[in-house]
Amino acid sequence: MLTSTVAGFSVAIALIVAIGAQNAFVLRQGLRREHVVPVVVTCAASDALLIVAGIAGLGTAVAGRPVLLAAIRWGGAAFLLCYAVLAARRAVRPGRLVPTEQPPATLRATVLACLAFTYLNPHVYLDTVLLLGGIAQQHEHRWLFGVGAACASVVWFTALGVGAHRLAPLLARPAAWRVLDGVIAVVMAAVAVALLLG
């Protein structure tokens, strides 16, 4: 039983740690110290929900609907490209790079953006519903595998969101924020292009 839980944690953490749109968003919120707990809870709860859906068999059903997969892919790519443009604009305009100079986003807007980064990104479905759901089926205690995977998500997003403030001294200068937003823009655009190319 413990083996399944540890396996779920190990596989999930390896998938989640890869730099992507969702991680970049959580990191930025953590650096701004803006609605960090709701963002972490939203990401972790969404991952848990998708992992449960994958273990319950949704992955097989989704894989058999190419029209649905295509709609998710194109919608996700469009959203990520828009966010890449916004991040690039922040990188080009030094006056808007210091977090304290920017008006805080509302909790509602932040959570909606977080949900969009989660559910409009086809890679999330690939990692959680299809991949983790499929691997869980190979374990005798598949639901314990899911518990381990969900715990990995909680640990990672908590560490990323709460631990980001340690980078604050490094990012105290506008030039550092320019670099960060530039990297975020490149990551978002690269993920979007990868989605469009299939």
Side-chain angles (χ1 to χ4, degrees):
M1 292 174 61
L2 183 60
T3 304
S4 294
T5 307
V6 171
F9 186 95
S10 302
V11 173
I13 203 73
L15 292 172
I16 295 170
V17 168
I19 295 175
Q22 190 183 45
N23 284 342
F25 179 75
V26 175
L27 177 63
R28 192 165 206 286
Q29 291 304 120
L31 289 169
R32 286 172 57 89
R33 298 184 184 186
E34 187 175 271
H35 308 304
V36 177
V37 173
V39 166
V40 168
V41 169
T42 299
C43 290
S46 295
D47 274 6
L49 177 65
L50 292 170
I51 289 166
V52 167
I55 294 173
L58 181 63
T60 305
V62 172
R65 297 181 179 261
V67 173
L68 178 59
L69 289 175
I72 293 171
R73 183 178 53 146
W74 284 93
F79 172 77
L80 292 174
L81 282 173
C82 288
Y83 196 85
V85 170
L86 292 175
R89 285 180 60 191
R90 285 194 305 267
V92 171
R93 296 183 181 176
R96 300 186 60 204
L97 295 172
V98 180
T100 55
E101 291 180 0
Q102 299 180 31
T106 64
L107 175 60
R108 181 176 181 273
T110 301
V111 171
L112 286 176
C114 187
L115 289 171
F117 278 116
T118 301
Y119 292 101
L120 290 180
N121 184 357
H123 287 294
V124 172
Y125 297 97
L126 177 64
D127 291 347
T128 56
V129 177
L130 299 176
L131 192 54
L132 288 175
I135 295 173
Q137 304 304 326
Q138 302 171 20
H139 286 263
E140 181 182 358
H141 304 286
R142 60 183 179 149
W143 291 108
L144 289 178
F145 180 94
V147 168
C151 286
S153 180
V154 171
V155 168
W156 171 250
F157 287 120
T158 300
L160 188 62
V162 176
H165 76 278
R166 294 183 179 273
L167 296 174
L170 177 66
L171 295 169
R173 295 174 300 163
W177 277 90
R178 176 182 292 133
V179 171
L180 176 65
D181 279 321
V183 169
I184 289 173
V186 170
V187 169
M188 301 294 180
V191 173
V193 169
L195 290 175
L196 292 173
L197 296 178

